[in-house]
Amino acid sequence: MSVFCSLSLTLALAALTICRAQRRLFPSASQDKPGVLCLNGGTSLSSLSGRHLLCLCPDGFSGSSCETDESMSCSDGIGLHYRGPVSKSASGRECVELVTSIITHCTCSNTNRNPDFSRRPWCFVQKESMIIREDCDIPRCTEDLSSGITDDSLTDAQSGWRCGQREGRSMKVVGGALSAVELHPWMAAVFSMRSRGRAFTCGGSLISPCWILTAAHCFPDGAQTDVHKLSVVLGKNAINETDIEKEQEFNVSELFIHEHFDNTDGNFNNDIALLKIRSPEGRCAKESRSVKTVCIPEPHHSLRHGMSCQVTGYGKEQEGAWYYSRYLREATVKLLSQELCSSKSYYGNMITENMLCAGSPDWSADACKGDSGGPLVCRVRGRAILFGVVSWGEGCSRQFRPGVYTKVSNYHHWILEKTSLSSLTHT
């Protein structure tokens, strides 16, 4: 353990400001410097204009340029017992040594630690004239496991696709919240035709080559929705850009909204819907690096609360913003127990057995407007499982107001019935 140095009152007060930081959805990644290279076999993700966005790191490496060899250090869970040598924040800044004080109530060395049950190890860093707190991206030593999963159950016999896989299974987006569709290849963007042209409507998830799972409230006209005005794009990294090498676009031939969904009184129970997709040539989705199916859980399959999952979408980056995110973004959230989420200090009796809640421990990440219908995915034995559909929530990233998701495992039989599939790519 490092020797701690004294902390001046000025620095302590500066450090204290981290606890009062503005909350927002999917905090924006720092601007990349020109000429950033992806080391150790990493792949640079660029916009169509050629601007470098981030690095997709291969197995065993991380960092903004894939410069960190993960074999040197890893952490279990949220890193409470992490004692490794990493001494940089996720942005690449060097950690500074601080001591426990009556002002900050923090013990901070020049290596990353997690003394206060945060979502991951962190440290204080110097940014210009201020001392601020930043998380560190230390890789996990183990993944969450669950019983009852076999390789055979992950294959769709009708299409030959294997669900829940992604290109470079252990690749990570490091140093920011921008994501890449190759890491979430089941992500779908639902559009509708309006008087001013095509507009982004909701997110969705590819659960079978011909079927998208999304939220019922995305279609305010319900059963009267004109499906000919709907379209779906898979493999999309940016809402306002088109990459013909990655994207696949489809018309919608059928829409099924759950029969018991009724939002007239703001009730989001049974907030689930299915879209059947067909290309103009009459085909379904074709598997590629940027287009794959996500696994569906078995009926009433539940995960332990506290498990980390990912929510992805093109929605607003913070509550009150007038614009949606241009690029696909991701956030890590933790599942909350039904008992906690339905308590008086959270949502009370607004939570039904068909819903689940998830949020970040410091309330800094959440789903927001525009993310509706998108996936909440949890990894089980190395496979991505769609446990939730983004449904509702009070504001974005508000304290004691986590995101609420439709519990997909409660609708396993409904999905089979509506799609007429004999089986799903499930766990």
Side-chain angles (χ1 to χ4, degrees):
M1 182 67 70
S2 302
V3 178
F4 293 100
C5 65
S6 297
L7 174 66
S8 69
L9 178 62
T10 301
L11 291 181
L13 291 173
L16 184 59
T17 61
I18 63 169
C19 300
R20 299 172 180 170
Q22 180 181 6
R23 307 299 188 189
R24 61 188 226 172
L25 167 69
F26 306 160
S28 300
S30 57
Q31 294 296 317
D32 295 296
K33 297 178 181 179
V36 170
L37 297 177
C38 301
L39 306 176
N40 296 308
T43 302
S44 175
L45 175 67
S46 304
S47 66
L48 292 184
S49 63
R51 176 179 176 269
H52 171 82
L53 296 176
L54 45 85
C55 290
L56 299 181
C57 299
D59 218 4
F61 294 92
S62 62
S64 59
S65 301
C66 306
E67 72 280 4
T68 302
D69 184 349
E70 294 181 348
S71 64
M72 300 298 292
S73 175
C74 64
S75 66
D76 286 314
I78 60 175
L80 290 176
H81 304 292
Y82 172 72
R83 294 294 181 269
V86 177
S87 59
K88 287 186 178 181
S89 69
S91 67
R93 296 185 177 90
E94 291 287 344
C95 299
V96 298
E97 290 183 330
L98 302 174
V99 299
T100 302
S101 79
I102 60 173
I103 298 175
T104 62
H105 302 287
C106 294
T107 300
C108 316
S109 69
N110 66 340
T111 50
N112 286 271
R113 298 291 183 263
N114 188 6
D116 59 349
F117 295 85
S118 294
R119 58 181 174 176
R120 64 181 67 179
W122 56 271
C123 69
F124 283 114
V125 298
Q126 179 89 35
K127 183 178 182 181
E128 298 175 348
S129 61
M130 297 180 61
I131 298 293
I132 63 171
R133 169 176 164 168
E134 288 189 351
D135 286 348
C136 161
D137 197 12
I138 298 173
R140 299 188 186 280
C141 300
T142 58
E143 293 184 345
D144 289 302
L145 302 179
S146 182
S147 60
I149 300 172
T150 64
D151 287 340
D152 289 342
S153 68
L154 295 165
T155 303
D156 183 348
Q158 293 168 304
S159 66
W161 291 30
R162 285 176 59 80
C163 68
Q165 294 182 310
R166 56 186 180 186
E167 194 68 24
R169 185 171 59 182
S170 296
M171 290 200 302
K172 301 177 180 66
V173 177
V174 178
L178 280 173
S179 191
V181 73
E182 288 85 355
L183 298 181
H184 311 278
W186 39 84
M187 185 72 204
V190 181
F191 294 85
S192 61
M193 288 300 299
R194 299 176 184 174
S195 57
R196 296 183 179 181
R198 191 173 79 162
F200 172 72
T201 299
C202 272
S205 303
L206 184 69
I207 62 170
S208 187
C210 299
W211 291 95
I212 303 294
L213 191 67
T214 185
H217 79 264
C218 293
F219 311 100
D221 293 333
Q224 305 305 315
T225 300
D226 186 353
V227 296
H228 298 99
K229 293 184 177 181
L230 300 176
S231 60
V232 172
V233 181
L234 301 171
K236 198 166 190 61
N237 265 318
I239 289 297
N240 297 330
E241 295 179 1
T242 300
D243 188 335
I244 59 175
E245 293 184 359
K246 293 183 178 181
E247 295 180 15
Q248 299 179 34
E249 186 168 349
F250 304 89
N251 300 321
V252 175
S253 60
E254 292 184 78
L255 166 64
F256 292 106
I257 295 175
H258 198 279
E259 298 80 4
H260 299 299
F261 174 74
D262 183 359
N263 193 30
T264 54
D265 296 322
N267 180 355
F268 284 86
N269 197 28
N270 300 303
D271 189 12
I272 195 167
L274 283 161
L275 298 172
K276 189 171 186 179
I277 57 174
R278 282 283 189 273
S279 71
E281 296 76 30
R283 63 172 177 80
C284 298
K286 180 180 180 181
E287 189 173 23
S288 68
R289 294 180 69 247
S290 54
V291 176
K292 299 179 187 295
T293 55
V294 66
C295 301
I296 295 295
E298 290 284 2
H300 306 292
H301 186 177
S302 296
L303 298 176
R304 60 176 176 81
H305 61 267
M307 184 174 179
S308 293
C309 302
Q310 284 187 314
V311 56
T312 49
Y314 307 96
K316 294 186 177 183
E317 295 181 34
Q318 64 184 52
E319 185 176 350
W322 61 270
Y323 57 90
Y324 290 146
S325 173
R326 183 177 180 181
Y327 296 101
L328 180 65
R329 307 183 81 84
E330 67 177 37
T332 298
V333 292
K334 292 183 180 295
L335 300 180
L336 303 179
S337 68
Q338 197 81 352
E339 180 181 9
L340 178 63
C341 198
S342 59
S343 65
K344 290 183 179 180
S345 58
Y346 281 68
Y347 286 121
N349 59 12
M350 296 174 67
I351 301 299
T352 73
E353 63 180 8
N354 296 316
M355 304 173 185
L356 60 84
C357 301
S360 61
D362 61 358
W363 307 105
S364 64
D366 190 12
C368 200
K369 187 174 182 180
D371 294 316
S372 292
L376 175 72
V377 168
C378 310
R379 293 191 67 79
V380 180
R381 291 195 176 180
R383 296 284 179 154
I385 316 296
L386 180 67
F387 276 93
V389 173
V390 178
S391 181
W392 65 280
E394 187 177 316
C396 307
S397 299
R398 293 187 188 180
Q399 194 172 22
F400 307 121
R401 294 296 182 267
V404 184
Y405 302 80
T406 304
K407 188 184 295 185
V408 176
S409 60
N410 285 9
Y411 297 92
H412 182 96
H413 296 302
W414 180 83
I415 295 171
L416 285 179
E417 176 190 349
K418 296 303 178 183
T419 59
S420 297
L421 296 171
S422 59
S423 63
L424 283 167
T425 50
H426 58 74
T427 60

